[in-house]
């Protein structure tokens, strides 16, 4: 039996509800594949501010650093909106990403056949869409210094070094080699110096991956192309803020933001988190879609533990549940046989895994 220590951070809003379902599914997978998961729970975000007065207590960062992987729900909410920026829940997540060195954020956007009609985009545009957004996660405007908010003036700094660009570019090319062998670098090189550097460095890295085609696209065009003809993309490589925005856009192509998982890797320990936020407006109602969270657990099995069969087992069970017409409210506009609660979806997925 293989043993894994998982640092669990449920967070705020719908975080606890969806993480519970991921754990339910993981426990079923553990039984089936003879794995042993040891969950250690830590606070981050608003929940940590309430108890420790800070969004990332040192014990949480240490717990994460001493684990094999971090399974994270979501953070934030109106209750903490007025606190100073460095004490906001979001600052906790950014510090965790930085503290773990998780510079590469993989955000797969895959259209499930069963949900083609659930998207706001026409079905024929969606055929064959399978995109991997590779988002730089520990640089750019999110972390650049100097930054300041004064009374009548405020500024942030977008800064990248060639080392930061090179390491994320390698992740993108390696991902593309296992996929459709195409990388689209998304930037704003017609305006920004940082984007010019990205183009130079990425073009050099591309020389080591002759089997992968490199294409460059301005971010405004890319956001338009994503809804016009999303199947032209394979791997989208981009900096932090552009990746944040484009991955939300990509999620709506797939039908709901409640479906997209992510893996934040490259450092000592990876973070596995849905791309969506804490959705305070629906928290506690049992209606949140747990699928992005459950698929993030699958990514954890794949990337952190190299348990590919177990990861695929979860992904197949998710597909089967969608095929059976079990849907949370967010994807119930088409093909829903039964509108389910967060907990019911988790149980359906778990039962399929157990019965297979
Ligand atoms: C995400 C989120 C975060 C980000 C927030 C919560 C800081 O939007 O993971 O996409 O901007 O990275
Ligand atoms: Mg985001």
């Amino acid at each position: 039996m293989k043993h894994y220590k998982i640092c669990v951070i449920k967070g705020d809003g719908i975080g606890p509800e969806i993480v519970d379902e991921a754990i339910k599914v993981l426990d079923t997978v553990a039984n089936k594949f003879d794995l042993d998961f040891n969950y250690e729970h830590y606070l981050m975000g608003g929940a940590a501010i309430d108890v420790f007065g800070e969004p990332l207590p040192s014990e949480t960062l240490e717990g994460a650093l001493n684990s094999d992987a971090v399974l994270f729900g979501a953070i934030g909410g109106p209750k903490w909106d007025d606190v100073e920026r460095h004490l906001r829940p979001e600052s906790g997540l950014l510090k965790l990403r930085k503290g773990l060195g998780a510079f590469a954020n993989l955000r797969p956007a895959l259209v499930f056949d069963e949900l083609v009609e659930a998207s706001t985009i026409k079905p024929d545009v969606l055929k064959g869409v399978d995109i991997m957004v590779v988002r730089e996660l520990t640089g750019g405007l999110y972390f650049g210094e100097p930054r300041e908010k004064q009374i009548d003036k405020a500024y942030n700094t977008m800064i990248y070094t060639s080392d930061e660009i090179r390491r994320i570019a390698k992740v993108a090319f390696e991902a593309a080699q296992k996929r459709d062998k195409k990388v689209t670098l998304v930037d704003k090189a017609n305006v920004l110096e940082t984007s010019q550097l990205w183009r130079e460095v990425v073009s050099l890295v591309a020389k080591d991956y002759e089997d992968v085609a490199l294409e460059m696209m301005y971010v405004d065009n890319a956001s338009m192309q994503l809804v016009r003809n999303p199947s032209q993309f394979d791997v989208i490589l981009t900096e932090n803020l552009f990746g944040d925005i484009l991955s939300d856009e990509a999620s709506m192509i797939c039908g709901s933001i409640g479906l997209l998982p992510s893996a934040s890797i490259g450092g000592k320990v990876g973070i596995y988190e849905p791309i969506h936020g804490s959705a305070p407006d629906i928290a506690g109602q049992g209606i949140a879609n747990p699928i992005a969270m459950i698929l993030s657990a699958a990514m954890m099995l794949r990337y952190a533990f190299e348990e590919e069969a177990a990861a695929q087992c979860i992904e197949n069970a998710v597909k089967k549940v969608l095929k059976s017409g079990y849907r949370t409210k967010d994807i119930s506009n088409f093909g829903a046989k039964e509108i389910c609660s967060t907990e019911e979806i988790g149980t359906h997925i778990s039962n399929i895994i157990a019965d297979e």
Side-chain angles (χ1 to χ4, degrees):
M1 184 184 278
K2 286 195 215 147
H3 305 271
Y4 299 106
K5 190 152 90 179
I6 304 176
C7 165
V8 179
I9 302 175
K10 292 187 178 182
D12 311 316
I14 59 169
E17 302 161 51
I18 57 172
V19 170
D20 284 346
E21 298 317 305
I23 289 180
K24 186 192 280 175
V25 169
L26 280 171
D27 282 341
T28 313
V29 164
N31 252 329
K32 197 179 173 106
F33 290 86
D34 201 25
L35 307 171
D36 173 45
F37 299 135
N38 172 14
Y39 308 104
E40 288 181 0
H41 294 266
Y42 291 94
L43 295 179
M44 186 172 83
I49 295 172
D50 288 350
V51 177
F52 296 95
E54 53 175 329
L56 181 67
S58 53
E59 63 169 59
T60 300
L61 181 57
E62 263 160 48
L65 278 166
N66 288 319
S67 70
D68 296 312
V70 178
L71 192 67
F72 162 58
I75 39 112
K79 184 177 171 194
W80 308 281
D81 269 352
D82 295 328
V83 298
E84 275 177 77
R85 194 187 49 79
H86 73 280
L87 289 175
R88 282 182 66 103
E90 289 81 357
S91 299
L93 174 58
L94 299 183
K95 263 183 153 171
L96 179 72
R97 288 172 177 169
K98 195 79 168 173
L100 297 182
F103 68 85
N105 186 211
L106 310 184
R107 299 190 155 186
L110 183 72
V111 174
F112 291 105
D113 291 343
E114 296 73 21
L115 290 180
V116 159
E117 306 279 350
S119 172
T120 47
I121 315 253
K122 284 187 191 148
D124 52 319
V125 176
L126 295 179
K127 290 218 177 77
V129 171
D130 180 356
I131 303 169
M132 175 70 87
V133 178
V134 176
R135 169 190 177 195
E136 201 291 325
L137 202 59
T138 52
L141 277 172
Y142 276 63
F143 295 92
E145 297 284 350
R147 59 190 296 164
E148 195 183 1
K149 157 87 176 59
Q150 301 172 356
I151 301 285
D152 293 316
K153 186 171 128 187
Y155 52 87
N156 292 92
T157 303
M158 187 185 265
I159 179 162
Y160 273 107
T161 64
S162 42
D163 283 346
E164 284 174 309
I165 300 168
R166 197 173 302 114
R167 65 183 183 179
I168 187 79
K170 285 184 184 163
V171 173
F173 281 100
E174 269 154 37
Q177 278 184 322
K178 296 191 196 123
R179 299 170 44 95
D180 276 350
K181 301 190 170 47
K182 180 174 164 190
V183 169
T184 305
L185 170 63
V186 173
D187 63 21
K188 191 70 187 169
N190 48 347
V191 177
L192 302 176
E193 284 79 0
T194 45
S195 293
Q196 287 172 353
L197 185 65
W198 272 78
R199 287 199 173 198
E200 283 167 26
V201 174
V202 172
S203 301
L204 280 177
V205 173
K207 295 200 166 125
D208 295 335
Y209 301 86
E210 276 175 357
D211 52 333
V212 178
L214 171 65
E215 170 190 80
M216 321 246 187
M217 198 181 275
Y218 297 142
V219 63
D220 45 354
N221 183 25
S223 69
M224 184 269 281
Q225 295 295 339
L226 259 177
V227 284
R228 194 187 73 89
N229 176 19
S231 64
Q232 71 183 284
F233 295 105
D234 177 24
V235 172
I236 292 180
L237 165 63
T238 192
E239 67 87 47
N240 205 344
L241 183 65
F242 297 160
D244 180 44
I245 299 167
L246 292 177
S247 57
D248 270 29
E249 190 187 357
S251 77
M252 272 318 289
I253 298 169
C254 303
S256 166
I257 194 161
L259 294 167
L260 258 67
S262 91
S264 305
I265 58 173
K268 188 171 171 279
V269 180
I271 311 168
Y272 299 85
E273 50 175 314
I275 80 153
H276 61 69
S278 58
D281 52 323
I282 58 161
Q285 298 176 30
I287 59 169
N289 189 342
I291 289 181
M293 186 72 237
I294 290 168
L295 291 174
S296 301
M299 288 188 90
M300 174 180 80
L301 295 174
R302 170 171 299 124
Y303 291 100
F305 307 159
E306 292 176 7
E307 299 285 353
E308 180 60 31
Q312 279 183 23
C313 179
I314 294 182
E315 289 162 352
N316 289 335
V318 167
K319 278 187 203 143
K320 280 195 183 148
V321 160
L322 292 174
K323 203 173 189 136
S324 310
Y326 297 123
R327 306 279 154 88
T328 39
K329 216 173 138 207
D330 55 315
I331 45 173
S332 63
N333 59 333
F334 190 90
K337 268 198 214 101
E338 194 182 316
I339 300 198
C340 299
S341 67
T342 311
E343 213 185 313
E344 285 165 341
I345 291 288
T347 302
H348 283 310
I349 295 172
S350 174
N351 287 346
I352 287 176
I353 294 169
D355 291 349
E356 256 177 2

